[in-house]
Amino acid sequence: PAPLAGRAARAQTGGDDGGDLSAAVGDSVRVALSGYIQADGRLAGGPVSGNDGVLLRRARLTLDVSARGGWRLRLQPDFGQGRAQVQDGFVGWS
């Protein structure tokens, strides 16, 4: 395949469907990065109780790649609760 250096690339952010970061290389590849965070905060009104703090329940990034010919890739790791695990991932062709 030809190197990417000679191809036109464009990037954009936001949009009607929320905040995502996407980029395209020519007409053949589109890459989009999005995600969300779900957090809980706890603060007691008295002396420090040891239960104060912020807990990240979910911190998920979503990487979507689509290529010419109908190929798609999705990878969604979750970095919440102090561990990393893949919540969703697939490669497809249509």
Side-chain angles (χ1 to χ4, degrees), residues 17-18 28-30 42 44 47-48 57 67-68 77 81 88:
D17 58 350
S28 60
V29 178
R30 181 180 179 275
R42 297 183 183 121
V48 178
R57 295 207 178 270
R68 188 183 335 199
Q81 299 185 6
D88 188 15

Side-chain angles (χ1 to χ4, degrees), residues 33-86:
L33 181 65
S34 60
Y36 64 91
I37 294 176
Q38 179 186 7
D40 288 335
R42 297 183 183 121
L43 181 61
V48 178
S49 65
N51 292 328
D52 296 348
V54 175
L55 173 66
L56 288 178
R57 295 207 178 270
R58 293 180 184 90
R60 293 185 184 173
L61 292 175
T62 303
L63 174 69
D64 285 308
V65 179
S66 57
R68 188 183 335 199
W71 287 98
R72 293 204 37 171
L73 165 75
R74 170 172 273 197
L75 183 61
Q76 187 180 59
D78 185 349
F79 299 100
Q81 299 185 6
R83 61 180 187 258
Q85 59 186 2
V86 175

